[in-house]
Amino acid sequence: MIELQKNNDRVCLILQPNCSADWQMNKQIIIGVGLVSALVAGSFAAIGAWLILPFAGLEILALSGSLYWVNLHQNYRQILWLEQGRLRIEKGYHRPQQSWQWAINDVAVHVSDDDAGRALSISLSQGASQVEIGEFLTREDSQQLLLTLRQLGLNLRGYSQQESLQA
């Protein structure tokens, strides 16, 4: 998902993975599956098959851990700040964990399209430094990102095995 915010001479471009369910929804799923699992396990335990109880607990534990891990990775953000002739790239969960700052005139956008069904590979570079952005975006979102970067005036360079890149 791409969100563009403009404020006077400052532009903020927020890139984040698509999120189909938030943590509240995931907790409801865990509770629902847990209740059904407890009902089934309780029924089996009542007829003497008590050995199913630890496995029902492990099932809910595995589901909870998996949903938590997915939710954590959906909180990943990449933020591009364009202000006063500078580009600042921030990456991280909940707060910036990596950051780069470059003069906007020296930044080039590199694009490659290796496979027709996959998203574009987009990276920003200045000199020897190169940072990949939007690696979690869908093909449509990566094309929208490329179009937005062009509209913001960044220099585009592309490599493609296909005849042309759209954007």
Side-chain angles (χ1 to χ4, degrees):
M1 185 169 73
I2 301 170
E3 181 182 342
L4 179 65
Q5 299 174 354
K6 292 183 179 182
N7 186 5
N8 297 330
D9 62 341
R10 186 177 183 177
V11 176
C12 177
L13 187 62
I14 302 171
L15 311 176
Q16 58 191 20
N18 291 335
C19 181
S20 59
D22 61 359
W23 182 238
Q24 293 299 87
M25 176 69 82
N26 287 339
K27 287 193 295 189
Q28 291 174 356
I29 291 170
I30 293 168
I31 291 170
V33 172
L35 290 174
V36 170
S37 182
L39 182 64
V40 171
S43 299
F44 275 96
I47 61 170
W50 57 269
L51 193 57
I52 197 169
L53 293 174
F55 292 105
L58 286 174
E59 173 188 18
I60 298 307
L61 183 65
L63 176 65
S64 300
S66 299
L67 288 177
Y68 179 78
W69 186 83
V70 168
N71 187 67
L72 177 69
H73 285 81
Q74 288 179 342
N75 289 322
Y76 185 67
R77 303 285 184 272
Q78 294 178 348
I79 302 176
L80 283 67
W81 296 93
L82 289 91
E83 57 186 336
Q84 300 173 355
R86 308 283 301 164
L87 170 67
R88 187 173 72 234
I89 305 166
E90 298 175 345
K91 291 183 173 188
Y93 298 93
H94 303 290
R95 63 177 177 77
Q97 295 169 328
Q98 294 178 302
S99 182
W100 298 264
Q101 189 164 346
W102 300 326
I104 201 162
N105 294 335
D106 299 335
V107 176
V109 180
H110 298 275
V111 183
S112 63
D113 187 11
D114 296 334
D115 190 325
R118 303 188 70 196
L120 299 173
S121 175
I122 302 172
S123 59
L124 302 175
S125 68
Q126 179 190 35
S129 299
Q130 188 166 348
V131 178
E132 186 173 359
I133 60 170
E135 55 269 14
F136 45 79
L137 296 175
T138 63
R139 183 167 187 81
E140 293 78 22
D141 284 345
S142 63
Q143 288 176 340
Q144 179 62 40
L145 173 61
L146 185 58
L147 180 63
T148 303
L149 292 173
R150 289 179 87 178
Q151 291 171 347
L152 293 173
L154 294 175
N155 299 322
L156 293 181
R157 296 181 187 159
Y159 164 77
S160 177
Q161 291 182 345
Q162 294 182 347
E163 290 297 315
S164 65
L165 291 173
Q166 292 180 348

